[in-house]
Amino acid sequence: MPERFRVSKSEEPNNIFGKYSDSRTILEDEDRAREKLLPSHNAGHRKTHVQGDGAEEQPFVSEKMSGYETNLYLYSEEMEDRPRISTLISSLANYSNTIPPASNDPDARPAGGGARMGTLMGVYLPCIQNIFGVILFIRLTWVVGTAGALQGFLIVLSCCCVTMLTAISMSAIATNGVVPGGGSYFMISRSLGPEFGGAVGMLFYTGTTLAAAMYIVGAVEIVLTYMAPGLSIFGDFTKDQDAMYNNFRVYGTGLLVVMGTIVFVGVKFVNKFAAVALACVILSIMAVYIGIFRNINGKDDLQLCVLGKRLLRVAITDCHKNISGAIYQMFCPNGTHSCDPYYESHDVSIIQGIKGLSSGVLLDNIYDSFLENGQYVAVGKNPEDIEPMIAEGGQNGQVVADITTSFTILIGIFFPSVTGIMAGSNRSGDLADAQKSIPIGTICAILTTSTVYLSSVILFAGTVDNLLLRDKFGVSIGGKLVVANMAWPNEWVILIGSFLSTLGAGLQSLTGAPRLLQAIAKDGIIPFLAPFAVSSSRGEPTRALLLTIVICQGGILLGNVDLLAPLLSMFFLMCYGFVNLACALQTLLRTPNWRPRFKYYHWSLSFIGLSLCIAIMFMTSWYFALLAMGMAGMIYKYIEYRGAEKEWGDGIRGLALSAARYSLLRLEEGPPHTKNWRPQLLILVKLTSDLVPKYKKLFAFASQLKAGKGLTVCAAVIGGDFTRSYGEAMAAKQSLRKTMDEERVKGFVDILVARNITEGLSNLVQTAGLGGMKPNTVILGWPYGWRQSEDDRTWQVFLQTVRNVTSARMALLVPKGINFFPDSTDKVFGNIDIWWIVHDGGLLMLLPFLLKQHRTWKNCKMRIFTVAQMEDNSIQMKKDLKTFLYHLRIEAEVEVVEMMDSDISAYTYERTLMMEQRNQMLRELRLNKKESLGVVDLVDFNEMSTEEKLPLVKHHHVLLDWLMVQSIVDQHHPNIDAKTATKVRFQEPGADGDKDNKVTENEPTNEPNSQTKTEDNENSTTEKEDLSEKECHEETKENSISEEKKKPVTITPDEGNVRRMHTAVKLNEVIVNRSHEAQLVILNLPGPPKDTKMERESNYMEFLEVLTEGLERVLMVRGGGQEVITIYS
């Protein structure tokens, strides 16, 4: 059996669900399996069991004919390339995610069957563990004392509101379908797109890594400050803050190495230790609550020494003013009698540190006590109490504020205490019912932790004296942790519990961050992260772990929790803000796929959450906020320009669709104003037999013209039937898209399959675009091989398309000599010459201006030539034209060329005569060809396509005669040397070039037939003679035709043709004389003949050839009948 065919409950549907194209092979595999499993058809309703990957065996198939083969045979062909409904439903029912958990529980494996985790174990407890952190134990009391009960409660409430609103938004996203493990990164990237997802993913990764640094520094602070002060390397850190932070850096680095080694070696230990850390957190909090209520009347063994209103850091036994005492030595240094004035004017007192809830101390702690860096911790805000009176003496004995505090700064320091709400969504792959567990578990965890935090604010403010609350490191009570002294039964419960829980949180961060980085790298949206997608032989993200340790070391070198906390708050706030943005966008856009099971959300709540996140970011630290936003912006732009294209059905795409719809409806209200007109390009591309563009320089030219920032639609027509040519059309579309990418043309690709090329091009001209974004300018290639073809209708596609574009009132650009046009990487120097023959709405002047916006043409100068006749005042024309260009703000040289009246030259007459001779010879060739094939007047052109490609050997001598005349006339042309003529005649390979033109004749329409009839009627006498001669003797007929063709000099040229040829020749002489060295010549394209007779169309093509003869790069322009440039602002 093939490898992909597996008979099991979970694997088979996934294989079938993978690709519709594999379903036919799978059905064949089922038939072979049926033959092997059911060798006999007389086994009744026997069922065969095959052991699959799962533990459960199931019946595979019975000998009874399937209902799909009897009742739904009408859809048998549909089922060959599309899955059956039963298979589809089974696939969805057995869907299992394959993305491993990326964050807080990285080593967890999906539990099988009923062993999957529920709400309590899978979401609630992990969130509790991650939310309760080191800030709760070492900073919450200081925050409450500094901000006061009122503002402290508001700080905690604001942070909790952010997480609650984010949890509501996250619950809506997480319940909108299956969310594999990946947490916020997966949700944001799939909701807002790869650019936002990658940027926020990197922010979340950075925040998680810095959180690990904060936990490590916090753990070192707990050990050195409260558990073992004697381990200090840099002396007494209670007297020197720099010494304390240096200790944190040294011990933090050592602890990081140990923890990094543990993560590298034993991830299972980290997961098992998580349960111990969770137990420590819960027991520690319970011990604090019990201690607070046990000490409701205060704690007598914890006392403070106060000088006046200032808090002192001396032992209670030394709290006196005796000369031999420590306080005297502090304020009266060197035993002198010159003491600090504040010492002399205030007495020393001893107060109770923990007063209890019954003492009413809550009223003393209601208001804030913010200080500047270096001010003393004292009761009230009297400058005499908080400002140092002298520079020396006494400062070492007082408690000093080490940082400037304010409401916003304290929010930044406290906010990391409420992070960790993503722990449940990170485990979504391990949950029995993620869509039920994530909202309930996360919201309940936030409610629980918020209740603990808010109640702690009130309980701490109602239990502890204000001075002790503001003593950040507990130096006034001998270097003890304030919250630990409230706990029951002993302070060591809190010290050991907080240390272990902090270690556990640090290990979780060091384990989850590398996996998050690896998940981002594996998505392939940030190319430079590709090396970090590699796993070790044990499946561990070793490279990502090393980078995480390096970044974490950078955070540890800051050495201060108060600096780390606001920094990582920025990253988490941005992450939460984008979660809210994702939910709000999806709700407002009302995308069809937005159907969350969690119904208790609203876009206004998400916007409030987003606004709170942004407000807190800038309130906390505007420069950190700008740093985080700048980092996100750089990653966003990097992914946008260099990252891989991902289509995740995200909300930003939906927003783009809504914006596009709104804009299109607005544009539909009326035509664009002249000031807003820009070329919206429709490039009609000719494809070779290999379905690649024949002239790629058309794309380069369009790219250079796109400095106008218009729309570009690249389209081509393939001849044939759509039902049979669909694959060919898709291949051509990919080929055009590749060419557009190579030439850096931003736009859209369209392929049309039509039986008739001309009709297909007409349909594209009529229907391309949408609403107000319809193309207004067509770029059409020149049919270079029209002269060499024996088919009299080779130019029909070109001319009919020109007529269609004109009828659609669209501008037309026809570049001639496109292969000589510069690439987009080239730079050209020289002149762009505009020959302004007739007014076309200003398009001739706008096009070179747009071209000069591109680096290729930027160094060229514009020259505008206009033609004056004898009756014109050329001096006044030049003056008026300069004034006009001045008002247009276009810099260009102006020249007025006077064309003198002159008689028609012999060269013009001969050229016209030669042109009409060619038309007559081609007509006779066509008639002889039809007669030799036995074709009557009504010709089926579908049957002629093959014969048309055959060489007519017997008429080659006639064409040779005509070519000899052509060469003789060329020698008489005064302004074209042999080298230039060879270059600019554009004699490019016509084997592929005429292919599309020939296809147009295959359409069995009445138009070619009617034209054939008309031409035959005009030459009815000659045709009847030829037919009678054919009936008599074919050889005699051929001789007579040869004799007729040898008499071209008897033809009298048409007067109108002679005049048109005269104009083309004279104008060409002037243009070649003035612009033969120009880099580009832009001139008006004459209108096509309204008469569709073969002679008139052939003559028109000849006139264009004569007009552009001797010029290397020509752009023929025909305006759309609308003013495209204005002098007004």
Side-chain angles (χ1 to χ4, degrees):
M1 243 185 295
E3 179 65 24
R4 75 178 129 187
F5 177 74
R6 309 178 71 180
V7 186
S8 70
K9 185 175 182 179
S10 60
E11 294 294 337
E12 180 191 359
N14 285 335
N15 287 332
I16 297 177
F17 187 60
K19 288 187 177 180
Y20 289 172
S21 59
D22 290 339
S23 59
R24 180 178 300 179
T25 305
I26 295 172
L27 291 175
E28 294 173 358
D29 293 337
E30 290 179 2
D31 294 335
R32 286 195 292 271
R34 186 183 294 110
E35 292 175 1
K36 292 183 179 182
L37 296 174
L38 302 174
S40 173
H41 288 281
N42 299 322
H45 295 278
R46 180 185 57 190
K47 295 182 179 179
T48 306
H49 298 262
V50 180
Q51 181 65 38
D53 289 349
E56 179 183 358
E57 294 182 355
Q58 62 174 356
F60 176 67
V61 73
S62 68
E63 68 165 356
K64 190 174 181 179
M65 183 175 289
S66 169
Y68 290 99
E69 298 177 8
T70 56
N71 302 330
L72 295 177
Y73 187 73
L74 177 62
Y75 297 93
S76 58
E77 293 184 1
E78 296 286 323
M79 293 178 188
E80 288 183 2
D81 55 4
R82 300 186 183 186
R84 302 170 180 173
I85 296 300
S86 61
T87 303
L88 180 64
I89 295 174
S90 177
S91 302
L92 296 174
N94 289 280
Y95 174 79
S96 60
N97 75 78
T98 57
I99 300 178
S103 187
N104 285 322
D105 194 9
D107 200 45
R109 296 181 179 178
R116 287 179 176 266
M117 290 184 289
T119 303
L120 181 65
M121 298 300 297
V123 181
Y124 180 76
L125 292 179
C127 286
I128 291 288
Q129 177 194 352
N130 281 270
I131 293 174
F132 285 134
V134 65
I135 301 294
L136 169 65
F137 299 106
I138 66 176
R139 289 292 183 273
L140 184 57
T141 53
W142 172 72
V143 168
V144 172
T146 304
L150 193 61
Q151 293 192 42
F153 190 87
L154 188 58
I155 288 172
V156 176
L157 182 63
S158 300
C159 296
C160 292
C161 284
V162 169
T163 55
M164 177 58 74
L165 293 173
T166 303
I168 292 173
S169 300
M170 183 192 70
S171 298
I173 297 174
T175 57
N176 187 47
V178 179
V179 178
S184 59
Y185 164 67
F186 182 90
M187 290 188 294
I188 294 173
S189 63
R190 269 59 178 179
S191 298
L192 293 181
E195 294 87 0
F196 281 109
V200 178
M202 288 303 297
L203 290 176
F204 193 54
Y205 163 75
T206 307
T208 305
T209 305
L210 291 178
M214 186 189 73
Y215 291 136
I216 291 173
V217 173
V220 173
E221 179 179 323
I222 291 173
V223 173
L224 286 182
T225 307
Y226 309 116
M227 297 175 68
L231 295 177
S232 174
I233 301 175
F234 299 94
D236 187 4
F237 58 85
T238 60
K239 298 179 180 180
D240 185 5
Q241 291 184 358
D242 292 335
M244 177 173 62
Y245 296 141
N246 288 333
N247 280 316
F248 292 169
R249 294 182 180 102
V250 173
Y251 281 104
T253 301
L255 186 58
L256 174 63
V257 172
V258 174
M259 294 172 66
T261 305
I262 293 174
V263 172
F264 175 75
V265 175
V267 180
K268 293 182 179 179
F269 169 77
V270 176
N271 291 321
K272 293 178 180 178
F273 188 76
V276 177
L278 176 62
C280 291
V281 169
I282 295 176
L283 290 176
S284 299
I285 293 174
M286 292 176 62
V288 171
Y289 273 96
I290 294 173
I292 288 175
F293 287 101
R294 277 182 59 87
N295 298 314
I296 193 170
N297 295 318
K299 192 174 183 180
D300 297 331
D301 57 352
L302 193 67
Q303 295 178 325
L304 307 175
C305 182
V306 178
L307 175 63
K309 294 185 177 181
R310 295 183 185 176
L311 179 64
L312 302 180
R313 49 182 180 184
V314 295
I316 296 301
T317 54
D318 293 329
C319 191
H320 54 77
K321 277 192 171 184
N322 297 338
I323 297 178
S324 59
I327 297 178
Y328 183 83
Q329 298 297 328
M330 293 177 187
F331 290 93
C332 304
N334 301 324
T336 63
H337 294 285
S338 175
C339 297
D340 189 297
Y342 191 86
Y343 171 78
E344 293 178 345
S345 59
H346 293 84
D347 294 329
V348 173
S349 61
I350 298 176
I351 62 174
Q352 192 175 13
I354 298 179
K355 296 183 177 181
L357 291 173
S358 61
S359 64
V361 72
L362 176 64
L363 298 177
D364 298 333
N365 291 324
I366 286 290
Y367 301 107
D368 66 90
S369 301
F370 298 125
L371 297 177
E372 299 287 336
N373 186 12
Q375 291 181 335
Y376 296 135
V377 175
V379 178
K381 296 181 179 180
N382 190 347
E384 180 187 2
D385 298 322
I386 63 177
E387 296 290 346
M389 301 298 292
I390 56 175
E392 69 279 348
Q395 292 191 17
N396 289 336
Q398 301 171 80
V399 180
V400 182
D402 58 342
I403 63 170
T404 300
T405 54
S406 65
F407 178 81
T408 56
I409 291 176
L410 293 182
I411 286 183
I413 293 175
F414 177 76
F415 188 80
S417 292
V418 297
T419 61
I421 62 174
M422 300 291 182
S425 62
N426 291 340
R427 296 166 175 257
S428 59
D430 302 330
L431 301 174
D433 187 356
Q435 298 189 5
K436 176 183 177 182
S437 298
I438 289 178
I440 296 176
T442 304
I443 292 176
C444 288
I446 293 175
L447 289 174
T448 303
T449 53
S450 299
T451 302
V452 171
Y453 282 135
L454 292 172
S455 63
S456 296
V457 171
I458 302 301
L459 292 176
F460 291 167
T463 300
V464 185
D465 184 81
N466 179 261
L467 293 175
L468 182 56
L469 283 175
R470 295 159 60 195
D471 186 3
K472 182 189 295 185
F473 300 107
V475 292
S476 62
I477 53 176
K480 297 178 181 180
L481 186 61
V482 176
V483 70
N485 283 273
M486 288 186 284
W488 175 89
N490 192 281
E491 63 177 325
W492 285 96
V493 175
I494 301 298
L495 293 176
I496 295 175
S498 61
F499 175 72
L500 292 179
S501 65
T502 304
L503 280 184
L507 286 172
Q508 289 288 340
S509 298
L510 282 179
T511 307
R515 281 158 174 77
L516 176 58
L517 180 64
Q518 187 183 41
I520 299 172
K522 283 184 176 180
D523 263 347
I525 59 175
I526 305 180
F528 71 80
L529 290 182
F532 299 103
V534 179
S535 299
S536 65
S537 57
R538 298 182 294 112
E540 295 295 323
T542 306
R543 296 181 181 179
L545 176 62
L546 292 177
L547 179 64
T548 302
I549 290 175
V550 171
I551 298 175
C552 187
Q553 176 61 29
I556 290 173
L557 291 179
L558 291 176
N560 189 350
V561 172
D562 298 330
L563 293 178
L564 278 169
L567 183 59
L568 68 93
S569 294
M570 297 301 152
F571 297 111
F572 282 114
L573 280 167
M574 283 204 68
C575 182
Y576 294 166
F578 276 110
V579 170
N580 286 302
L581 177 62
C583 180
L585 275 182
Q586 298 277 32
T587 306
L588 289 175
L589 292 175
R590 298 178 181 177
T591 52
N593 190 52
W594 180 247
R595 302 183 301 273
R597 290 186 179 275
F598 180 77
K599 302 298 182 183
Y600 305 101
Y601 70 93
H602 194 266
W603 64 265
S604 59
L605 295 178
S606 300
F607 267 120
I608 293 173
L610 174 62
S611 303
L612 275 176
C613 289
I614 296 174
I616 291 176
M617 284 176 63
F618 282 94
M619 282 195 306
T620 301
S621 174
W622 63 267
Y623 45 88
F624 279 164
L626 292 179
L627 175 66
M629 287 184 171
M631 177 179 171
M634 288 189 294
I635 297 173
Y636 178 93
K637 299 304 292 185
Y638 178 81
I639 297 173
E640 186 178 33
Y641 286 108
R642 298 293 304 276
E645 289 291 334
K646 299 286 184 181
E647 178 52 59
W648 288 333
D650 49 85
I652 293 299
R653 266 61 173 180
L655 180 62
L657 285 174
S658 296
R661 168 183 165 275
Y662 174 78
S663 301
L664 283 172
L665 292 176
R666 288 290 303 273
L667 288 174
E668 191 71 15
E669 293 178 0
H673 191 272
T674 303
K675 291 186 290 186
N676 294 326
W677 193 95
R678 56 187 58 178
Q680 318 283 9
L681 301 179
L682 172 61
I683 310 175
L684 298 179
V685 182
K686 188 172 188 178
L687 301 177
T688 65
S689 57
D690 297 328
L691 301 179
V692 297
K694 186 172 183 179
Y695 304 112
K696 293 188 178 181
K697 288 289 185 70
L698 282 176
F699 296 87
F701 175 70
S703 176
Q704 294 156 20
L705 199 59
K706 278 285 288 182
K709 307 297 183 186
L711 172 74
T712 299
V713 178
C714 175
V717 177
I718 296 178
D721 184 69
F722 180 69
T723 57
R724 299 180 181 179
S725 304
Y726 176 76
E728 188 178 1
M730 291 299 101
K733 193 169 186 177
Q734 292 295 329
S735 175
L736 287 184
R737 170 56 62 189
K738 181 180 178 182
T739 304
M740 290 184 71
D741 292 340
E742 290 172 353
E743 298 295 338
R744 296 184 178 180
V745 179
K746 292 187 179 296
F748 307 98
V749 176
D750 202 3
I751 299 292
L752 183 66
V753 180
R755 297 181 184 273
N756 183 281
I757 298 295
T758 306
E759 290 300 321
L761 292 173
S762 175
N763 292 338
L764 283 175
V765 169
Q766 295 177 59
T767 61
L770 182 65
M773 291 299 288
K774 291 181 70 67
N776 55 27
T777 306
V778 176
I779 297 181
L780 181 64
W782 175 259
Y784 298 100
W786 74 273
R787 272 180 172 173
Q788 285 69 42
S789 175
E790 296 174 356
D791 186 3
D792 61 342
R793 306 293 292 175
T794 53
W795 52 82
Q796 188 258 350
V797 174
F798 174 78
L799 282 180
Q800 192 57 42
T801 304
V802 172
R803 293 189 183 101
N804 293 334
V805 172
T806 304
S807 300
R809 301 183 63 80
M810 299 169 70
L812 177 65
L813 309 180
V814 181
K816 194 164 181 279
I818 188 65
N819 283 345
F820 299 116
F821 276 61
D823 288 320
S824 296
T825 56
D826 298 338
K827 286 188 177 182
V828 294
F829 299 85
N831 296 320
I832 299 177
D833 287 356
I834 300 101
W835 284 85
W836 194 17
I837 312 299
V838 295
H839 181 59
D840 59 351
L843 185 60
L844 255 70
M845 284 171 283
L846 182 62
L847 289 177
F849 172 77
L850 295 178
L851 284 174
K852 280 172 59 64
Q853 307 305 308
H854 195 272
R855 60 186 298 272
T856 299
W857 302 92
K858 185 170 63 174
N859 299 308
C860 291
K861 295 181 179 179
M862 288 174 54
R863 297 194 302 180
I864 298 179
F865 297 88
T866 188
V867 178
Q869 303 300 324
M870 284 295 295
E871 62 271 16
D872 296 326
N873 185 344
S874 59
I875 298 176
Q876 187 63 35
M877 281 181 63
K878 186 172 182 178
K879 182 179 179 181
D880 293 342
L881 184 55
K882 283 186 176 180
T883 304
F884 181 60
L885 291 177
Y886 174 79
H887 289 303
L888 287 177
R889 291 89 63 199
I890 292 179
E891 296 181 4
E893 297 180 14
V894 176
E895 291 192 33
V896 178
V897 179
E898 295 182 353
M899 290 187 67
M900 309 298 292
D901 288 340
S902 61
D903 295 332
I904 296 174
S905 64
Y907 169 77
T908 302
Y909 189 86
E910 291 176 5
R911 191 74 183 253
T912 309
L913 185 63
M914 180 183 65
M915 177 181 70
E916 295 193 353
Q917 279 184 285
R918 179 181 183 274
N919 291 338
Q920 181 179 352
M921 286 186 288
L922 289 176
R923 185 190 311 119
E924 293 176 354
L925 283 173
R926 178 174 55 82
L927 292 175
N928 294 335
K929 183 176 175 183
K930 290 195 294 181
E931 291 168 1
S932 63
L933 296 174
V935 180
V936 295
D937 290 342
L938 295 176
V939 182
D940 187 354
F941 284 86
N942 283 327
E943 297 176 359
M944 290 176 57
S945 58
T946 305
E947 297 296 334
E948 286 175 354
K949 299 178 183 179
L950 297 177
L952 301 178
V953 180
K954 59 186 177 182
H955 300 299
H956 274 189
H957 65 281
V958 181
L959 289 176
L960 288 175
D961 292 342
W962 181 83
L963 291 174
M964 288 176 65
V965 178
Q966 167 82 29
S967 63
I968 293 172
V969 175
D970 286 347
Q971 291 176 3
H972 288 79
H973 200 289
N975 292 316
I976 305 176
D977 58 2
K979 180 178 179 181
T980 306
T982 304
K983 179 190 284 187
V984 301
R985 253 189 218 127
F986 313 114
Q987 305 285 339
E988 302 189 19
D992 295 329
D994 298 331
K995 195 169 292 184
D996 287 351
N997 292 335
K998 292 181 179 180
V999 175
T1000 60
E1001 296 302 315
N1002 295 340
E1003 173 73 9
T1005 60
N1006 294 326
E1007 181 183 352
N1009 297 339
S1010 61
Q1011 291 169 354
T1012 303
K1013 287 181 179 181
T1014 304
E1015 294 162 3
D1016 290 348
N1017 291 334
E1018 291 176 354
N1019 304 281
S1020 59
T1021 305
T1022 305
E1023 183 177 358
K1024 289 177 181 179
E1025 293 175 356
D1026 291 342
L1027 290 174
S1028 63
E1029 288 174 355
K1030 179 185 176 184
E1031 293 172 359
C1032 296
H1033 197 278
E1034 183 177 351
E1035 193 171 318
T1036 306
K1037 175 188 69 67
E1038 292 179 358
N1039 293 334
S1040 65
I1041 294 174
S1042 300
E1043 291 175 0
E1044 290 176 2
K1045 291 179 179 178
K1046 291 179 181 178
K1047 301 176 183 178
V1049 293
T1050 61
I1051 300 176
T1052 302
D1054 179 73
E1055 181 182 354
N1057 289 340
V1058 174
R1059 291 185 178 277
R1060 294 185 183 95
M1061 183 65 74
H1062 176 69
T1063 303
V1065 170
K1066 296 296 291 182
L1067 195 55
N1068 176 258
E1069 288 179 359
V1070 175
I1071 294 175
V1072 171
N1073 183 41
R1074 298 295 186 96
S1075 302
H1076 63 279
E1077 293 183 353
Q1079 294 293 341
L1080 179 64
V1081 176
I1082 304 177
L1083 52 83
N1084 293 104
L1085 174 69
K1090 297 180 180 179
D1091 192 350
T1092 58
K1093 289 182 180 180
M1094 181 272 292
E1095 291 85 356
R1096 291 296 306 274
E1097 292 184 345
S1098 176
N1099 294 344
Y1100 174 77
M1101 299 297 293
E1102 187 67 30
F1103 296 147
L1104 294 183
E1105 288 283 6
V1106 173
L1107 181 63
T1108 58
E1109 204 166 24
L1111 301 174
E1112 187 176 80
R1113 300 177 185 141
V1114 184
L1115 179 63
M1116 292 180 281
V1117 179
R1118 183 169 175 80
Q1122 177 185 357
E1123 292 291 335
V1124 300
I1125 196 166
T1126 179
I1127 64 175
Y1128 301 104
S1129 61

